[in-house]
Amino acid sequence: EAQVTQNPRYLITVTGKKLTVTCSQNMNHEYMSWYRQDPGLGLRQIYYSMNVEVTDKGDVPEGYKVSRKEKRNFPLILESPSPNQTSLYFCASSHQGTEQYFGPGTRLTVT
Amino acid sequence: GEDVEQSLFLSVREGDSSVINCTYTDSSSTYLYWYKQEPGAGLQLLTYIFSNMDMKQDQRLTVLLNKKDKHLSLRIADTQTGDSAIYFCAESMDTDKLIFGTGTRLQVFP
């Protein structure tokens, strides 16, 4: 089954404790992206990757890092999480110029 | 810069039509999309329209695009309780980057 998976689905952590949210797709997509969803703001792009070893900042990259060492994986790293990073995070992937498939979301709470 | 706006809430009676509206600012948009998000789930692509089209119909869904006014709408005919969700419009240009609206929460009551 074609899908985008994210782990964990729910995470509660404390300020400053490094965490990684994994994203994996099994569709051999070149393009992958991370978004955060906040009430009243819709989804905003954090980082994206056009292919392996090619990443670039989206609209709200501060406080986040990503890597793309393999085509299928695109982890999101929060080196020192802060409460303003409490949000719902979505990973997405696509062949360039076609429909984006979204993962189920990761709800992160930073206390 | 790019901006996409939607009203936050819409409430309709089961069986009526729903119309969800969206305005965008970037006239160079190539594609415009409608996504549906059910509670606790990710985003599901409902339909999309190329910027050179005025209308697209797909079963109960009708998308209307007014390029002059930069206005996009999604009409759901015979709205059902299963249509209750958040609906996002999004635009993109010749890249894969999507610019999302704030989302409209559709509530369908019996």
Side-chain angles (χ1 to χ4, degrees), chain A residues 9 31 35 37 40-43 45 50 59 88 90 94-100 102-104, chain B residues 2 8 31 33 35 37 40-45 86 88 95-103:
Chain A
R9 293 289 313 278
Y31 183 89
Y35 296 87
Q37 181 182 2
L41 297 175
L43 278 80
Q45 190 181 56
M50 302 291 280
D59 296 316
L88 179 58
F90 288 101
S94 65
H95 283 304
Q96 288 187 5
T98 62
E99 175 185 352
Q100 286 197 29
F102 282 79
Chain B
E2 310 124 334
L8 291 179
Y31 303 93
Y33 305 84
Y35 282 86
Q37 183 183 32
L43 275 73
Q44 172 196 357
L45 179 64
I86 301 176
F88 291 93
T95 68
D96 291 277
K97 180 179 179 180
L98 293 172
I99 307 295
F100 284 88
T102 51

Side-chain angles (χ1 to χ4, degrees), chain A residues 1-7 22-34 49-52 67-75 91-96 99-104:
Chain A
E1 180 190 354
Q3 60 182 354
V4 179
T5 56
Q6 296 178 225
N7 281 293
T22 64
C23 173
S24 183
Q25 48 93 5
N26 62 0
M27 296 167 279
N28 203 35
H29 285 164
E30 301 86 16
Y31 183 89
M32 297 187 75
S33 181
W34 276 103
S49 169
M50 302 291 280
N51 215 322
V52 175
S67 69
R68 188 88 184 274
K69 293 186 172 57
E70 307 162 282
K71 201 171 188 180
R72 63 182 294 128
N73 296 322
F74 190 46
C91 180
S93 74
S94 65
H95 283 304
Q96 288 187 5
E99 175 185 352
Q100 286 197 29
Y101 290 81
F102 282 79

Side-chain angles (χ1 to χ4, degrees), chain B residues 1 13 20-21 27-28 33 35 44 59 64 67 70 72-73 84 87-89 94 106:
Chain B
R13 189 181 300 277
I20 303 171
N21 295 302
S27 58
S28 58
Y33 305 84
Y35 282 86
Q44 172 196 357
Q59 299 181 328
L64 294 177
K67 281 197 76 175
K70 301 191 185 76
L72 181 75
S73 68
S84 294
Y87 291 81
F88 291 93
C89 69
D94 289 328
L106 173 65

